[in-house]
Amino acid sequence: MPQIPGCRARRALLQSSGMNDVCLVCAEVTGAQPVPGGFLEQCNTVVVFHCPVVAPATDVYAGHLFVVPRRHAAGFADLTMSEAASVGQALARWSLALERAGAEHVYVVRVGHAFPHLHVMLLPRWPGTPESVSWSEVDRWPGARRGDTEFATEVVDELRRLAAV
């Protein structure tokens, strides 16, 4: 089974910090775990942010976004209808922003093995990604658009601008 982009580093952060029983997604939602450029979107039901660079990693895949309900809910079935509507609208809005930024395709992924807090990932497929690279590897092939926290913050700023168009 393929590793989902970003999950290994996030799981490693908890293990290395002794935070195994802390929900990293809750830490990101509350601001205890910083995210590059701050939240792309936030309201009383949902937050959207770029995947942070989590040690031991030194870089992150451009445009790897998380759409997360504020309330600690394990899955879609646990959401209220209002939360579900907010999540769905955020997925559409930020998928469009990624496409405006040049993504040829935006994968929407919900796995939830590492953290029991629903987090839906948006993974863009950028131009130049070889056809032979599967969706689960778009962030790991040698030519993938990756960068440090400053780079991810620039991506966030561009996506904010494109979402406002």
Side-chain angles (χ1 to χ4, degrees):
M1 173 167 238
Q3 281 284 332
I4 304 305
C7 289
R8 287 177 297 170
R10 292 161 56 82
R11 196 169 21 252
L13 170 70
L14 289 183
Q15 292 168 345
S16 68
S17 66
M19 297 173 27
N20 284 324
D21 49 350
V22 173
C23 176
L24 180 57
V25 179
C26 284
E28 291 162 336
V29 167
T30 63
Q33 171 65 40
V35 297
F39 295 136
L40 281 160
E41 177 179 335
Q42 63 179 319
C43 68
N44 61 342
T45 54
V46 70
V47 295
V48 179
F49 54 91
H50 195 288
C51 183
V53 177
V54 179
T58 57
D59 62 4
V60 67
Y61 185 58
H64 181 173
L65 304 183
F66 289 95
V67 177
V68 180
R70 276 195 182 275
R71 186 174 60 86
H72 186 97
F76 287 107
D78 300 304
L79 298 178
T80 66
M81 289 302 121
S82 177
E83 290 168 330
S86 294
V87 167
Q89 291 168 0
L91 289 169
R93 183 171 18 266
W94 295 103
S95 292
L96 178 58
L98 287 165
E99 288 177 2
R100 286 177 175 165
E104 296 175 335
H105 188 85
V106 178
Y107 302 102
V108 179
V109 182
R110 187 275 179 159
V111 180
H113 291 285
F115 308 103
H117 187 144
L118 176 63
H119 52 292
V120 184
M121 296 178 280
L122 295 175
L123 296 167
R125 184 179 194 93
W126 297 113
T129 304
E131 286 295 319
S132 61
V133 175
S134 77
W135 72 269
S136 63
E137 299 291 323
V138 295
D139 75 327
R140 289 192 293 234
W141 69 282
R145 289 178 59 186
R146 299 187 65 84
D148 59 14
T149 298
E150 184 177 327
F151 168 78
T153 299
E154 291 169 7
V155 171
V156 165
D157 291 343
E158 177 69 3
L159 290 174
R160 253 192 214 105
R161 186 185 69 73
L162 292 169
V165 172

